[in-house]
Amino acid sequence: MVDSSENFTTPARPTSPLVSFMPPKPVVLVGLMGCGKTSIGKRLAKRFDLPFCDSDQEVELAAGCSISDVDSIFGEGALESGEYRVISRLLNQPVQVIATGCLSFTYQKTQDLIKEKSISVWLKADLPTLFTRVTGRKDRPLLEPGKEEEILKKMMDDYYPEFEKSDVCVQTYDEPANITVDRVIIAMSEFIKSKYPDYRVLKSV
């Protein structure tokens, strides 16, 4: 895994990427709620002039209900299987940038699919960053009001070892989103140069 994290210390602004490229596969963003998958994903897709898709929204469209209600309506495990089917469909479409649900990559079958058919990018964030971004939000069904920090800490302990299996790791900081996007592009270019040395489709980003 290409890892651009720097022990949670905010670095200087990165220089512009030296390698301009188009991804050879779909780009799948993984990570916990609050790490920035949607905001970074939209900007990254714009840089590459690619479509952007949020798999949570696609699951809700397919199920006809909110993410938080899928298991209660369709039975235990329905969300996991639904996410797998939706992500499988998205990965079989032309190259695009996909933001996944916060637990999608922790499901082994879905993780295997993502690793086979895409470039997976983990947007890694520390606890204070995640806590600041999700506190007070009403669209985070996994968080119980008043226990956000405790729940996030447990999720980090449980799921960060799974996110570490992604192809690329990029630390997210309290900084303008476009700076994080620069960091993602730099890390992806390093990964593609090492993993796909003969890939030569270039594009100004």
Side-chain angles (χ1 to χ4, degrees), residues 109-180:
K109 188 178 178 181
T110 304
Q111 182 184 127
D112 291 343
L113 179 71
I114 290 172
K115 290 185 68 64
E116 175 189 356
K117 295 192 172 185
S118 76
I119 296 173
S120 52
V121 179
W122 175 23
L123 299 180
K124 183 179 181 181
D126 62 5
L127 181 58
T129 298
L130 294 176
F131 180 74
T132 299
R133 291 176 178 175
V134 304
T135 299
R137 295 281 297 271
K138 296 181 179 180
D139 58 345
R140 306 295 186 182
L142 295 177
L143 297 181
E144 181 180 344
K147 295 185 177 180
E148 293 94 343
E149 187 170 6
E150 176 186 343
I151 294 171
L152 285 169
K153 176 63 168 62
K154 186 177 190 310
M155 292 177 76
M156 291 173 69
D157 292 341
D158 290 346
Y159 300 131
Y160 271 24
E162 292 301 314
F163 293 139
E164 286 176 354
K165 299 174 185 178
S166 59
D167 297 317
V168 177
C169 171
V170 178
Q171 186 70 52
T172 65
Y173 302 95
D174 184 15
E175 62 186 4
N178 281 329
I179 298 179
T180 306

Side-chain angles (χ1 to χ4, degrees), residues 188-201:
M188 284 182 58
S189 70
E190 293 173 354
F191 173 78
I192 290 172
K193 282 190 294 183
S194 64
K195 187 73 173 180
Y196 304 93
D198 297 325
Y199 191 73
R200 293 290 184 270
V201 179

Side-chain angles (χ1 to χ4, degrees), residues 2-175:
V2 173
D3 189 344
S4 71
S5 61
E6 302 180 27
N7 297 320
F8 300 120
T9 301
T10 304
R13 178 168 183 161
T15 57
S16 298
L18 298 177
V19 178
S20 297
F21 62 95
M22 283 293 288
K25 291 182 174 182
V27 179
V28 173
L29 303 181
V30 305
L32 288 184
M33 63 188 83
C35 71
K37 296 187 296 293
T38 299
S39 60
I40 300 304
K42 289 179 177 178
R43 290 169 173 81
L44 187 64
K46 186 175 182 180
R47 294 278 195 98
F48 287 131
D49 194 22
L50 290 173
F52 170 78
C53 187
D54 185 318
S55 70
D56 273 354
Q57 293 181 358
E58 293 297 312
V59 169
E60 290 181 337
L61 285 173
C65 64
S66 69
I67 287 287
S68 59
D69 291 333
V70 171
D71 277 351
S72 62
I73 293 174
F74 297 99
E76 185 176 355
L79 178 57
E80 179 178 347
S81 61
E83 285 189 316
Y84 175 83
R85 290 193 299 271
V86 164
I87 291 173
S88 178
R89 170 171 57 81
L90 295 175
L91 290 177
N92 283 321
Q93 294 176 2
V95 173
Q96 60 184 317
V97 177
I98 303 167
T100 60
C102 74
L103 300 185
S104 301
F105 198 72
T106 69
Y107 303 139
Q108 189 61 56
K109 188 178 178 181
T110 304
Q111 182 184 127
D112 291 343
L113 179 71
I114 290 172
K115 290 185 68 64
E116 175 189 356
K117 295 192 172 185
S118 76
I119 296 173
S120 52
V121 179
W122 175 23
L123 299 180
K124 183 179 181 181
D126 62 5
L127 181 58
T129 298
L130 294 176
F131 180 74
T132 299
R133 291 176 178 175
V134 304
T135 299
R137 295 281 297 271
K138 296 181 179 180
D139 58 345
R140 306 295 186 182
L142 295 177
L143 297 181
E144 181 180 344
K147 295 185 177 180
E148 293 94 343
E149 187 170 6
E150 176 186 343
I151 294 171
L152 285 169
K153 176 63 168 62
K154 186 177 190 310
M155 292 177 76
M156 291 173 69
D157 292 341
D158 290 346
Y159 300 131
Y160 271 24
E162 292 301 314
F163 293 139
E164 286 176 354
K165 299 174 185 178
S166 59
D167 297 317
V168 177
C169 171
V170 178
Q171 186 70 52
T172 65
Y173 302 95
D174 184 15
E175 62 186 4

